[in-house]
Amino acid sequence: MAGRKRKYPQKLLVELYRNLYMIRVFETRCIKLYRQGLIRGYFHPYLGEEAIAVGVCAALRPKDRIASTHRGHGHCIARGADIKLMAAEIMGRETGYCGGRGGSMHIADMSLGNLGANGIVGANMPLALGSALGSWVRGTNEVTVAFTSDGGVMNGTFCETLNLAGALGVPLIVVIENNQYAVSTTVEETTRETELYKRGIGLGVESHRIDGNNVLEVYDYAKDAHKKCVQGKGPVLLEAVTYRHGGHHVNDPGLYMPKDRLEDYKKKDPCLLGRKFLAEIGAVTAQKIDEIERKVEQQMEEAVEYAVNSPQPSVEEFLDDVRCYS
Amino acid sequence: MSETAREHPAVQKASSGNPRSIMYREALREALLEEMRRDASVFLLGEGIARRGGSYKVTEGLLNEFGPKRVIDTPLAEATFTGAGVGAALTGMRPVVEILFIDFSMLILDQIANQAAKLQFMTNKQCSVPMVLRTQGGAGNGLAAQHSQSLEAIFYHIPGLHLAMPATPYDAKGLMKSAIRSDFPVVFIEHKLLYMTEGEVPEEEYLIPFGEASIKRPGNDLTLVAWSNMLPRSLKAAESLAEEGIDIEVVDPRTLVPLDKKTIVDSVRKTQHLVIVQEAVRRGGVASDIASYVHEEAFDYLDAPIEIVAGLNTPIPYNLSLEKACIPQEVDIIEAVRRALARTV
Ligand SMILES: Cc1ncc(C[n+]2csc(CCOP(=O)(O)OP(=O)(O)O)c2C)c(N)n1
Ligand SMILES: [Mg+2]
């Protein structure tokens, strides 16, 4: 495995853990806000899947791009989003990333190359393909990552995207976040070939199945995939296997998820693993790690403070804004 | 379906031997259940409809009774499982395909517009497509731009489809049963805010034919035409105005294709004023089309220009107050009624 050979600088390990923990804290805190009625609509937590976004985004350069999903908060944070603006958007405030127009499912930050979350499962893949296609046409080598899901793989856009990407050789990485469920429907119920990466092989695309809870393994494979794309040897498909820590969205108790399975996965909690890597490989003391965590928690509280005190968007301005559509 | 049942809900109560109140979603479930018991060719396809029983519990328990061959959980492959519904309908089955949000029906337009709607015509009636596309639309839950649209006009536009948008449990059940028995492909649009609303539904079996509007409230001063979730809102507006002595007739077309123009035109001839309320955006909407028919057939009877109350021409925002600003509210309806009556010459 690629991971064994690589050296991980302490700085990288700190950054990885900080992001893992930030996503954990962001989602946990926002779920509380949701329960308090400060957030409405759909909210799909990324809890339990943090290592995928963090490992992949750590392998990218500022000029690269990502296209996210309905479960997009983790991708945002890993890509360096400002959690103040994220929290404000999720609370529908004027100061949020999309001025309260988008909400959880539509956060985007074009300045960071984050083409946005997407409420239509599967729709982000052609968009990501187009982004990579542009790089290919221009002869620049930005790499685009399309995050998708076990459910997204079942949509025609997955095969069509990967096929065309492969035919042209564009710099695209498709990352399947296989959390084993589409809402309550299991992968086994919806396909005969449950090892989803094999679809890529069928299309002649380099494809791997990896442990989506292990941030270093994700990082290693993403780094290799990124290198291939930069060298003009893309696309690459990665299937990162993971498990949600709860239901499909905040209002789904996830009763259909077997308890023992969840317990098994919690033993492989991506945050615990990340902390372990930081201590063992990075030789960072428990005290220092605690300090990192407190800092993250403090940043989150500041973000909540900022969002809660932000104004609601003005209806008059909105009406003025949308006049162009009439 | 008797004449009386088309009238005011109070009349419905009298005609049904055994009145009881159930929710819109339960009425739909009963319709599916009864039709599946009656006809083994009826089966269901959709996401999370079997084990989970659907996002709004409409298909709850059906897997237990009918098994996994008649209640099928599909992958997230909307275009293909809808096309499979069309193919099954073409060859002797009566599938009910569910698309979770009408917004996602944009993924299946080829199968609906170019296949389902046209096969009977193109083959000179060698076949029919007796399929129901069940879907759900509308705003109000903060689900933002890709989960809140009212897209009936897109299906309304395409010849070869029938289109139902029931507003009450009674209509939902009777129309669903007719939709399943219809040899036309039917687009059946529910509203996410209606699933938990209650209304009287008789125990006995009944059907509601397509193309029959329902006068939900008789009146003499002005006709309000509204469907889906704009019906309860319009009825409320009518009640408020009744306190001022304004007597409004509320007509729900129930099916937009075929459209019961006669009931609408007759009502306008009587009241001489028309306000049409739709949640969908104004541009290219069904309301404009209804207005054009009324112009053709009752122009001389109108005492004031027709008013249309419609959604704003914009994608739906997430924020609550912005969302509200896009969708017709009771006050908007009341204001339109006042405008129409004030302009009476
Ligand atoms: C095209 C489309 N179909 C259906 C939905 C409704 N929906 C939203 S999330 C979801 C399940 C997605 O499961 P998966 O793709 O595995 O992603 P996960 O939620 O597990 O991250 C469904 C069915 C949608 N948003 N878009
Ligand atoms: Mg999944």
Side-chain angles (χ1 to χ4, degrees):
Chain A
M1 190 179 306
R4 300 299 152 241
K5 289 186 225 114
R6 212 180 287 278
K7 279 219 160 67
Y8 304 102
Q10 190 187 65
K11 192 162 161 261
L12 171 73
L13 292 164
V14 169
E15 195 49 33
L16 292 177
Y17 184 62
R18 210 192 65 82
N19 274 334
L20 288 171
Y21 195 70
M22 179 65 88
I23 299 171
R24 177 64 52 94
V25 168
F26 185 88
E27 298 292 58
T28 310
R29 187 71 177 86
C30 284
I31 291 171
K32 270 198 199 147
L33 296 168
Y34 197 102
R35 304 277 175 243
Q36 291 166 6
L38 283 161
I39 299 172
R40 66 197 297 253
Y42 278 141
F43 183 117
H44 305 92
Y46 199 62
L47 296 171
E49 309 187 19
E50 294 92 341
I52 305 172
V54 172
V56 168
C57 289
L60 304 182
R61 302 158 300 176
K63 67 173 180 175
D64 297 324
R65 286 185 286 268
I66 65 167
S68 171
T69 67
H70 59 286
R71 200 178 295 288
H73 306 163
H75 309 139
C76 264
I77 292 172
R79 189 62 188 152
D82 183 338
I83 59 166
K84 283 187 173 141
L85 307 193
M86 283 181 70
E89 184 56 36
I90 292 172
M91 283 187 230
R93 304 305 167 105
E94 182 67 44
T95 53
Y97 262 116
C98 316
R101 275 101 169 126
S104 160
M105 259 190 309
H106 305 297
I107 299 178
D109 187 346
M110 299 293 168
S111 70
L112 293 174
N114 178 355
L115 306 183
N118 206 309
I120 308 296
V121 175
N124 66 331
M125 289 181 274
L127 301 180
L129 172 64
S131 160
L133 187 65
S135 304
W136 181 79
V137 171
R138 287 190 301 271
T140 51
N141 67 5
E142 304 91 353
V143 174
T144 305
V145 175
F147 289 99
T148 189
S149 44
D150 49 285
V153 168
M154 308 301 165
N155 204 280
T157 51
F158 170 79
C159 267
E160 295 177 38
T161 296
L162 211 56
N163 185 61
L164 183 51
L168 300 176
V170 305
L172 177 73
I173 305 172
V174 175
V175 178
I176 306 168
E177 303 182 320
N178 181 357
N179 61 11
Q180 310 178 39
Y181 289 97
V183 191
S184 62
T185 305
T186 62
V187 173
E188 290 75 20
E189 285 172 302
T190 47
T191 185
R192 190 175 286 197
E193 179 50 79
T194 57
E195 297 194 6
L196 304 175
Y197 78 101
K198 288 184 179 166
R199 286 156 206 237
I201 297 172
L203 294 167
V205 170
E206 179 181 330
S207 304
H208 304 278
R209 187 175 230 235
I210 62 178
D211 179 355
N213 280 32
N214 181 330
V215 72
L216 292 183
E217 182 165 326
V218 175
Y219 174 75
D220 288 340
Y221 276 90
K223 198 83 183 155
D224 286 351
H226 185 270
K227 192 166 160 196
K228 293 233 164 75
C229 284
V230 170
Q231 292 170 342
K233 294 182 193 150
V236 177
L237 173 67
L238 301 177
E239 177 194 3
V241 181
T242 185
Y243 207 69
R244 293 186 318 233
H245 276 189
H248 172 63
H249 53 60
V250 286
N251 291 326
D252 170 20
L255 298 176
Y256 48 85
M257 299 168 77
K259 273 221 168 65
D260 47 340
R261 190 108 180 253
L262 182 55
E263 288 315 311
D264 279 354
Y265 269 94
K266 281 197 170 167
K267 282 179 208 142
K268 303 195 289 178
D269 183 325
C271 285
L272 289 182
L273 270 179
R275 195 182 153 110
K276 196 171 141 227
F277 293 144
L278 189 51
E280 291 176 6
I281 308 174
V284 176
T285 64
Q287 193 196 343
K288 267 256 158 23
I289 301 178
D290 288 344
E291 273 171 31
I292 295 172
E293 292 183 352
R294 297 303 82 76
K295 179 92 193 296
V296 165
E297 287 157 14
Q298 189 194 330
Q299 278 178 297
M300 185 64 209
E301 284 321 306
E302 285 163 17
V304 173
E305 183 82 5
Y306 174 80
V308 169
N309 293 315
S310 287
Q312 297 283 344
S314 131
V315 174
E316 282 72 49
E317 267 173 42
F318 167 75
L319 294 177
D320 216 39
D321 244 24
V322 300
R323 205 150 286 150
C324 63
Y325 300 121
S326 277
Chain B
M1 170 84 187
S2 68
E3 257 309 294
T4 47
R6 290 179 54 197
E7 299 298 321
H8 193 250
V11 184
Q12 275 175 23
K13 194 198 291 184
S15 70
S16 71
N18 201 350
R20 62 181 175 136
S21 196
I22 61 173
M23 281 189 274
Y24 186 87
R25 69 166 198 232
E26 293 167 333
L28 287 165
R29 184 180 170 282
E30 282 189 3
L32 294 172
L33 182 77
E34 288 174 18
E35 292 306 297
M36 289 178 81
R37 282 184 183 156
R38 191 186 60 81
D39 180 351
S41 71
V42 180
F43 74 109
L44 315 181
L45 277 167
E47 293 165 12
I49 62 167
R51 202 153 42 77
R52 191 160 59 103
S55 293
Y56 295 93
K57 297 190 197 281
V58 172
T59 53
E60 199 164 53
L62 299 183
L63 173 67
N64 272 352
E65 173 158 351
F66 299 104
K69 285 195 173 175
R70 292 184 66 199
V71 187
I72 303 171
D73 273 335
T74 62
L76 269 79
E78 286 83 3
T80 295
F81 73 71
T82 303
V86 178
L90 209 54
T91 51
M93 302 299 285
R94 289 188 177 270
V96 179
V97 174
E98 176 177 326
I99 294 291
L100 274 174
F101 284 80
I102 198 168
D103 313 71
F104 313 158
S105 73
M106 300 299 96
L107 279 73
I108 63 164
L109 275 184
D110 175 61
Q111 294 298 332
I112 297 300
N114 292 328
Q115 313 302 330
K118 294 179 175 54
L119 279 160
Q120 187 194 48
F121 171 80
M122 294 188 298
T123 60
N124 200 19
K125 301 213 166 103
Q126 290 179 60
C127 63
S128 61
V129 182
M131 170 181 131
V132 180
L133 178 74
R134 264 194 66 223
T135 188
Q136 165 269 117
N141 282 341
L143 302 185
Q146 293 174 334
H147 290 72
S148 302
Q149 296 171 89
S150 295
L151 295 173
E152 65 265 28
I154 286 170
F155 299 101
Y156 180 83
H157 185 69
I158 297 162
L161 303 173
H162 279 181
L163 176 56
M165 290 188 77
T168 68
Y170 178 84
D171 291 345
K173 181 172 179 185
L175 286 170
M176 178 55 81
K177 286 172 68 84
S178 294
I180 292 171
R181 297 184 196 190
S182 167
D183 285 336
F184 268 89
V186 174
V187 178
F188 197 97
I189 306 175
E190 300 153 19
H191 195 292
K192 56 175 73 64
L193 297 185
L194 288 173
Y195 285 114
M196 308 282 274
T197 60
E198 289 199 16
E200 272 167 25
V201 175
E203 303 266 9
E204 313 79 62
E205 179 169 53
Y206 65 96
L207 296 171
I208 299 176
F210 275 50
E212 274 194 12
S214 167
I215 297 168
K216 299 295 185 189
R217 183 186 196 286
N220 290 307
D221 295 342
L222 179 142
T223 301
L224 254 179
V225 172
W227 54 93
S228 194
N229 194 43
M230 289 298 115
L231 176 72
R233 219 160 267 187
S234 298
L235 284 170
K236 268 199 195 153
E239 289 310 321
S240 306
L241 289 161
E243 288 166 18
E244 302 170 23
I246 300 172
D247 185 24
I248 294 180
E249 178 145 300
V250 180
V251 179
D252 178 357
R254 301 193 289 194
T255 63
L256 298 178
V257 183
L259 180 69
D260 182 357
K261 292 176 208 156
K262 183 171 183 305
T263 299
I264 297 170
V265 167
D266 285 352
S267 175
V268 173
R269 285 183 176 164
K270 179 176 74 174
T271 66
Q272 303 173 347
H273 296 85
L274 175 61
V275 175
I276 311 170
V277 190
Q278 75 177 14
E279 177 168 342
V281 303
R282 168 71 189 256
R283 185 167 54 230
V286 176
S288 308
D289 204 45
I290 293 175
S292 78
Y293 287 126
V294 172
H295 271 136
E296 279 172 13
E297 296 179 32
F299 183 77
D300 292 336
Y301 293 82
L302 284 168
D303 271 355
I306 297 169
E307 291 277 345
I308 292 179
V309 185
L312 212 58
N313 291 332
T314 171
I316 311 272
Y318 162 69
N319 175 278
L320 175 62
S321 46
L322 302 190
E323 182 187 62
K324 269 197 168 156
C326 299
I327 305 297
Q329 306 293 322
E330 195 184 324
V331 296
D332 302 316
I333 302 170
I334 290 175
E335 279 171 16
V337 168
R338 289 196 205 286
R339 274 198 305 273
L341 291 174
R343 287 166 79 168
T344 297
V345 273

